[in-house]
Amino acid sequence: MMVSFFDQFASPSFLGIPLIAIAIALPWILFPTPPSRWINNRLITVQTWFINRFTNQLMMPLNVGGHKWALLLASLMVFLITINMLGLLPYTFTPTTQLSLNMGFAVPLWLATVIIGMRNQPTVALGHLLPEGTPIPLIPVLIIIETISLFIRPLALGVRLTANLTAGHLLIQLIATAVFVLLPMMPTVAILTAVVLFLLTLLEVAVAMIQAYVFVLLLSLYLQENV
């Protein structure tokens, strides 16, 4: 029976019960909890150092009002990295390959940044729709274009994350299938293809981390415009 390459992106279920909730909740179980002792182990020390460095770099361009988002953005970053990395393991499901999940993250957070801007500084927030020095005949056109670009932002966030992870998973599966097909007929070519597959897997590990960082970084840039 022929199996579609896109079957790996279907949400798994057991006895009719979708298991995506388990795939989403599992990363939080894997993280070690800080102990009550003063001296931590190496894993918690590395985890704390990484989160502190990331949070400092992310919050540096923002003013004091934007620092309230530090916990939310850092948690989202760690959550996305963990889900993306776990999805590279065999026999696992990557929830972030679902556009609906990514849009569920992107739309509320983007909308929250827009609402904060309209509430705190409505003149500045609306001023982003019309660049300074615009000729009068172009004002209606530019307002329409900037409004469309504003509403496309959450769609771009969700589609970017979904497309990059989906393309990487498909490419890995295609090359892995080629290795199994070529192994009995042309072992040398199959070995070379396996080396390419290994390098591609390393690249996908980097992509999984980078895409999570880009998702949160763009959210912080949208927040920077409105605080």
Side-chain angles (χ1 to χ4, degrees):
M1 182 178 66
M2 296 296 293
V3 179
S4 172
F5 285 135
F6 290 92
D7 287 345
Q8 61 176 317
F9 304 116
S11 180
S13 60
F14 180 72
L15 298 178
I17 303 174
L19 301 179
I20 188 171
I22 299 177
I24 294 175
L26 183 62
W28 299 114
I29 303 175
L30 300 178
F31 283 110
T33 55
S36 58
R37 302 187 302 270
W38 281 97
I39 301 177
N40 296 326
N41 57 37
R42 292 183 178 88
L43 180 59
I44 294 180
T45 302
V46 172
Q47 174 184 318
T48 306
W49 174 84
F50 169 76
I51 294 177
N52 288 338
R53 292 286 297 178
F54 166 74
T55 306
N56 290 335
Q57 184 171 355
L58 197 64
M59 295 293 110
M60 194 178 301
L62 301 178
N63 57 24
V64 180
H67 292 177
K68 301 175 183 178
W69 287 60
L71 179 61
L72 175 62
L73 294 180
S75 301
L76 180 62
M77 168 75 174
V78 174
F79 177 74
L80 291 178
I81 286 181
T82 309
I83 283 186
N84 295 347
M85 298 287 286
L86 289 177
L88 295 174
L89 298 176
Y91 303 104
T92 56
F93 171 69
T94 313
T96 43
T97 56
Q98 306 294 312
L99 182 60
S100 57
L101 177 68
N102 296 333
M103 293 301 293
F105 284 131
V107 172
L109 293 173
W110 164 82
L111 187 60
T113 62
V114 174
I115 292 175
I116 288 175
M118 295 298 294
R119 185 188 64 180
N120 295 340
Q121 41 184 10
T123 304
V124 177
L126 293 176
H128 292 303
L129 302 179
L130 184 63
E132 187 177 358
T134 304
I136 296 178
L138 296 179
I139 288 179
V141 178
L142 281 180
I143 290 178
I144 295 175
I145 293 175
E146 291 296 330
T147 304
I148 294 175
S149 67
L150 177 66
F151 284 97
I152 283 179
R153 284 179 175 182
L155 181 62
L157 280 176
V159 170
R160 180 186 294 107
L161 183 58
T162 303
N164 280 281
L165 295 179
T166 302
H169 283 64
L170 282 176
L171 195 55
I172 287 178
Q173 186 172 3
L174 286 170
I175 296 180
T177 304
V179 171
F180 281 105
V181 171
L182 293 174
L183 192 58
M185 299 180 295
M186 293 178 286
T188 304
V189 178
I191 292 174
L192 294 176
T193 309
V195 173
V196 174
L197 177 62
F198 175 74
L199 297 176
L200 179 63
T201 305
L202 295 180
L203 178 62
E204 279 304 307
V205 171
V207 168
M209 301 178 67
I210 291 172
Q211 287 304 316
Y213 174 73
V214 168
F215 189 92
V216 179
L217 179 63
L218 289 176
L219 279 176
S220 69
L221 293 178
Y222 300 157
L223 180 64
Q224 182 181 355
E225 294 180 357
N226 294 284
V227 295

